[in-house]
Amino acid sequence: MSRRYEDFDEFCDPDNPKIIKYEDVVDALKRIRKYIPQTPIIASHYQKECGINLFYKLETVMRTGSFKERGALNALDLLPRDRQKMGVVVASLGNQAMGICYYGKKLGIPVTVVMPTSVPVIKLQMCSDMGAKVVVQGHNLVDSQKYARALAKEKGLTHINARDYPDVMAGYGTVAIEIMEQVPALDAVLLPIGTGGLAAGVATVIKHVNPNCLVYGVQSERLPTFYKSLEAGEPLTLPYEPSIAEGIAMPYVGVNAFRNAQNLLDKLILVSEDWIARSILHLIEKERLVVEGAGACPLAAVLCSQVPELKSKNVVIILSGGNIDAVLLGRCLDRGLAAEGRLIKFKVLVKDLGTEYERFTKLLADNGYNLVRQFQDRIWVENEIYRVEMKAVCETRGLDHALELKRIIEKTYPNECAFETEPFDSDNTCSCYIPTKC
């Protein structure tokens, strides 16, 4: 359904979207350079396996852990002095708020942050520690934004729509200028896309400097808002769905971001939650990088072989942020291991005897499996009073080793075992969409 805009501010007017220019981004880079040094680009250790000259742009090394600092600083610095003194209010899930709080403190600008109840406590605390007034209001970001706009009008503050403000998008575009300086023979850039601010800023720069360079957006298939909006030709709102890539799990797109990126993106790729989890796992294990779900999305498109046309090309992936909650990180790693067949869950009926338990565990140990977790059920075992249902999670060396475990258990306990089917049934693919307007 179409999105409701009647309560949006003048800088995010669907009937008059703001267009950013290359010159706006150049000016933004001059403005922020005194505070934000150029972030590094490193070569991936996965280049040989994927056949792509793959590089990572490490926005994770920012002081607050994401590229959002660029837009926050540019928007704050451009405010008239009287507006700076009055202060600003912003609704955020965390990354943008932390950027505005950090530079608001440096520039002496009072900041009020409105966050939904779903935001992790650590992000609330970080904003508070940086001197901001934190207000928890709303079940989701949309609710928080409505409250922030009302608060701005009531208190005379400047409301900054952190995901669609023109000056914010111009700040985001500065990452593209750096990329083109660091990788002169650039063929493609892959970036995460949610409401579209980063895509708008980056695509504006890339297509101005080198129209032949490809710009691909990647998002979770769980909430493909930007693609659906491109398909419809207008910004849409979809029902919210939680995602590992929480930073880009947006039920709407920015009106300005949509208009700027609409005809500049070359491809939009949707990846599954399992591939995002595998990307987070890959970045930690193979690249030694901690990246949040949103930042890991572009690599997921590479891992699931959705960009074969980029073989032998010079490709930069923007690792947009590293602010992942410790609990969520643990869940993502476990899910990534399961998706790769390195964690396998199954159940088996055994006789309720110590010798049978020993036989079961010895069977696993002798074949190189590590028993991670187990649960014994003696009560809800139908018609089997002298047997126990063993529910187990085992660590394997990979999918082939997992398949071997399945064969061993089924041979040893015929008709008395059951495995989780996902790792064995998966076709290991994700979806690729090329919007007709791109």
Side-chain angles (χ1 to χ4, degrees), residues 200-218:
V202 169
T204 295
V205 171
I206 297 290
K207 294 302 183 180
H208 176 87
V209 177
N210 181 6
N212 294 321
C213 182
L214 301 172
V215 181
Y216 290 179
V218 186

Side-chain angles (χ1 to χ4, degrees), residues 103-168:
Y103 288 105
K105 185 175 182 179
K106 275 187 172 294
L107 298 174
I109 302 173
V111 176
T112 300
V113 176
V114 183
M115 289 180 160
T117 55
S118 58
V119 168
V121 175
I122 183 62
K123 293 187 177 181
L124 299 173
Q125 189 61 51
M126 289 177 71
C127 291
S128 179
D129 290 345
M130 287 185 278
K133 178 182 178 182
V134 179
V135 179
V136 179
Q137 186 73 33
H139 296 294
N140 51 52
L141 184 59
V142 175
D143 293 341
S144 296
Q145 286 180 326
K146 291 179 180 179
Y147 184 84
R149 288 190 294 274
L151 187 64
K153 292 178 181 178
E154 178 186 344
K155 303 293 185 180
L157 307 174
T158 298
H159 172 248
I160 296 179
N161 184 339
R163 291 179 173 270
D164 202 38
Y165 204 66
D167 296 337
V168 168

Side-chain angles (χ1 to χ4, degrees), residues 339-342 344 367 369 396-408 423-424 428:
E340 290 186 354
R342 293 163 60 189
I344 295 297
N367 289 279
Y369 300 99
T396 78
R397 295 190 293 269
L399 185 56
D400 290 340
H401 199 211
L403 289 167
E404 180 62 24
L405 173 63
K406 188 172 186 288
R407 286 189 288 267
I408 291 171
F424 309 117
N428 288 332

Side-chain angles (χ1 to χ4, degrees), residues 23-204:
E23 292 74 20
D24 298 329
V25 181
V26 173
D27 289 342
L29 183 62
K30 296 175 182 176
R31 196 171 293 113
I32 71 174
R33 183 54 71 229
K34 56 186 176 182
Y35 293 101
I36 302 176
Q38 187 180 78
T39 56
I41 280 184
I42 63 171
S44 169
H45 299 310
Y46 186 61
Q47 288 187 353
K48 184 177 180 180
E49 290 86 344
C50 69
I52 300 173
N53 299 324
L54 192 63
F55 301 88
Y56 298 124
K57 179 65 169 172
L58 301 184
E59 294 297 282
T60 55
V61 303
M62 289 281 196
R63 174 61 180 80
T64 60
S66 87
F67 76 98
K68 297 292 184 70
E69 287 187 19
R70 298 173 181 271
L73 177 56
N74 190 53
L76 290 174
D77 200 48
L78 278 171
L79 286 176
R81 188 56 193 157
D82 61 326
R83 303 304 300 171
Q84 289 182 345
K85 289 181 178 179
M86 288 294 295
V88 300
V89 59
V90 59
S92 172
L93 295 175
N95 284 351
Q96 185 69 58
M98 287 188 287
I100 288 183
C101 291
Y102 181 71
Y103 288 105
K105 185 175 182 179
K106 275 187 172 294
L107 298 174
I109 302 173
V111 176
T112 300
V113 176
V114 183
M115 289 180 160
T117 55
S118 58
V119 168
V121 175
I122 183 62
K123 293 187 177 181
L124 299 173
Q125 189 61 51
M126 289 177 71
C127 291
S128 179
D129 290 345
M130 287 185 278
K133 178 182 178 182
V134 179
V135 179
V136 179
Q137 186 73 33
H139 296 294
N140 51 52
L141 184 59
V142 175
D143 293 341
S144 296
Q145 286 180 326
K146 291 179 180 179
Y147 184 84
R149 288 190 294 274
L151 187 64
K153 292 178 181 178
E154 178 186 344
K155 303 293 185 180
L157 307 174
T158 298
H159 172 248
I160 296 179
N161 184 339
R163 291 179 173 270
D164 202 38
Y165 204 66
D167 296 337
V168 168
M169 291 191 299
Y172 293 165
T174 60
V175 69
I177 296 180
E178 292 183 9
I179 290 172
M180 301 196 82
E181 290 174 350
Q182 293 167 301
V183 185
L186 183 65
D187 295 306
V189 173
L190 275 65
L191 52 82
I193 185 167
T195 51
L198 178 62
V202 169
T204 295

Side-chain angles (χ1 to χ4, degrees), residues 169-324:
M169 291 191 299
Y172 293 165
T174 60
V175 69
I177 296 180
E178 292 183 9
I179 290 172
M180 301 196 82
E181 290 174 350
Q182 293 167 301
V183 185
L186 183 65
D187 295 306
V189 173
L190 275 65
L191 52 82
I193 185 167
T195 51
L198 178 62
V202 169
T204 295
V205 171
I206 297 290
K207 294 302 183 180
H208 176 87
V209 177
N210 181 6
N212 294 321
C213 182
L214 301 172
V215 181
Y216 290 179
V218 186
Q219 63 183 172
S220 172
E221 66 182 16
R222 194 164 173 83
L223 194 55
T225 317
F226 210 95
Y227 168 71
K228 294 294 185 182
S229 297
L230 284 174
E231 188 178 50
E234 63 177 352
L236 298 180
T237 294
L238 300 181
Y240 175 75
E241 293 287 346
S243 168
I244 292 173
E246 57 182 354
I248 57 172
M250 293 293 111
Y252 63 90
V253 302
V255 294
N256 298 320
F258 177 80
R259 181 63 183 85
N260 279 271
Q262 184 177 13
N263 297 312
L264 298 179
L265 290 174
D266 295 287
K267 183 185 284 189
L268 218 57
I269 300 170
L270 303 185
V271 291
S272 70
E273 295 287 286
D274 280 351
W275 277 110
I276 299 172
R278 292 176 72 166
S279 297
I280 294 172
L281 178 65
H282 174 95
L283 286 163
I284 288 179
E285 287 191 329
K286 307 297 184 182
E287 313 285 6
R288 304 298 186 264
L289 299 169
V290 177
V291 179
E292 62 192 65
C297 274
L299 178 60
V302 175
L303 294 181
C304 68
S305 304
Q306 287 302 303
V307 288
E309 69 276 15
L310 299 183
K311 295 288 185 180
S312 303
K313 302 293 186 181
N314 296 321
V315 179
V316 171
I317 285 178
I318 299 178
L319 299 182
S320 57
N323 294 317
I324 184 168

